[in-house]
Amino acid sequence: MPLRYVHCVNAAATGMTVVSNSFIERLVLVRERVSSFDEYPFSIPSIRNLYELAIHPKVTFFVGENGAGKSTLLEAIAIVQGFNPEGGSRNFNFSTHESHSQLCNSLRLHQGNRRLRKSDGYFFRAESFFNVATEIDREFPQFLGAYGGRSLHKQSHGESFFSLVLNRFRGNGLYILDEPEAALSPSRQMAMLTAMHDLISRGSQFIIATHSPIIMAYPDATIYQLSTTEIAQVAYEETEHYRLSKLFLTQKDQMLKELLGEL
């Protein structure tokens, strides 16, 4: 049976071929829809060399250096799946600044056999969560109970994110997270692993862009590393985040001497 794909904006609204027990099973860059690979975002090496990626039914991580294309790819997935570019649930429809790329117009998502209801799922991006919190206060104050019962602006960044995870993430949903560690201490990142595991046991799927070697340690996951040449699947211990963190923690004095030029 041939695969069927859906193009841009709201993939969940279209009937798809049953393939796997997930919301998103695979993504494909429709290269004939790209007008030029010399223009952003298609000029980013990892995007230029993207053809298709399998999405893990539990957790998929995008890792790599700043500017490698992680957030750009994650944003496009969220838009294709029907989320607001600045974040929130699929009920959100606001814009403070039109800054998203055109990658979504060339990205197709192959759906699994799970159907996402409008209220099940969330797109979190650290850089615009302030705007989401403002929109909730202004347009949806009746839903504050789903965020811990008080304005997210009256909580610290870490508190507001954890209120989101513990109260708004109810399971059986698709959660697309862009650098969640920006709001979390190391101990809260560990608590995030526990919360993720609970949500996964209740039928959730996560797609996460992260720099955190703690969060990306979730054991049942696929890790894609975006580099200056490609997107490649890697083992946890092969990620630069793990190797550099381990090197620094086990050889701190030597690393500091090299970094601070004291050799």
Side-chain angles (χ1 to χ4, degrees):
M1 181 179 296
L3 301 182
R4 295 174 59 199
Y5 297 100
V6 64
H7 174 59
C8 211
V9 187
N10 191 350
T14 303
M16 306 298 295
T17 303
V18 173
V19 177
S20 68
N21 189 31
S22 61
F23 295 106
I24 301 175
E25 192 264 348
R26 185 174 299 274
L27 64 84
V28 176
L29 180 64
V30 186
R31 300 178 69 85
E32 59 268 25
R33 292 185 179 272
V34 178
S35 58
S36 173
F37 282 97
D38 294 323
E39 298 178 0
Y40 178 85
F42 306 101
S43 58
I44 299 173
S46 60
I47 303 299
R48 183 190 303 128
N49 294 303
L50 171 64
Y51 288 85
E52 63 179 82
L53 293 176
I55 302 300
H56 195 285
K58 294 182 179 179
V59 186
T60 300
F61 290 112
F62 295 130
V63 307
E65 259 302 339
N66 295 329
K70 302 183 303 299
S71 295
T72 300
L73 181 55
L74 201 74
E75 174 192 78
I77 293 170
I79 294 172
V80 172
Q81 195 62 37
F83 291 98
N84 190 62
E86 292 187 44
S89 72
R90 297 198 301 166
N91 291 310
F92 283 68
N93 185 23
F94 70 94
S95 176
T96 59
H97 180 60
E98 291 287 345
S99 61
H100 61 277
S101 78
Q102 296 304 306
L103 179 56
C104 76
N105 295 321
S106 302
L107 198 68
R108 288 178 178 173
L109 300 183
H110 176 206
Q111 306 292 297
N113 65 351
R114 307 280 304 284
R115 294 297 174 266
L116 191 67
R117 295 179 302 179
K118 195 161 188 177
S119 61
D120 293 335
Y122 210 90
F123 177 33
F124 170 85
R125 53 190 321 172
E127 67 181 26
S128 58
F129 192 48
F130 180 93
N131 301 338
V132 173
T134 299
E135 183 72 3
I136 294 169
D137 284 352
R138 184 175 58 202
E139 299 293 339
F140 303 105
Q142 69 273 26
F143 296 144
L144 279 175
Y147 295 86
R150 61 192 177 111
S151 171
L152 296 174
H153 284 308
K154 295 181 180 179
Q155 305 176 53
S156 72
H157 194 188
E159 287 175 329
S160 62
F161 174 72
F162 231 67
S163 291
L164 174 72
V165 173
L166 295 179
N167 297 286
R168 178 59 181 79
F169 292 9
R170 295 185 289 267
N172 196 36
L174 173 65
Y175 302 112
I176 302 174
L177 311 180
D178 187 14
E179 299 187 3
E181 72 276 7
L184 301 176
S185 68
S187 63
R188 281 294 178 92
Q189 291 179 40
M190 294 179 191
M192 176 69 186
L193 288 176
T194 301
M196 284 173 55
H197 192 59
D198 176 64
L199 288 162
I200 290 165
S201 72
R202 291 187 277 135
S204 298
Q205 184 180 24
F206 283 84
I207 305 175
I208 303 174
T210 183
H211 293 288
S212 169
I214 295 175
I215 291 176
M216 73 177 71
Y218 189 85
D220 197 359
T222 293
I223 302 176
Y224 289 115
Q225 186 161 276
L226 284 70
S227 70
T228 56
T229 58
E230 62 180 355
I231 301 178
Q233 184 175 345
V234 297
Y236 172 67
E237 292 80 6
E238 294 174 342
T239 63
E240 185 177 16
H241 307 73
Y242 171 84
R243 291 188 291 104
L244 286 178
S245 296
K246 181 180 179 181
L247 183 63
F248 188 87
L249 293 173
T250 58
Q251 302 181 39
K252 175 179 67 69
D253 292 341
Q254 179 68 20
M255 287 288 289
L256 286 173
K257 287 180 181 179
E258 293 183 9
L259 292 169
L260 303 180
E262 295 181 7
L263 285 180

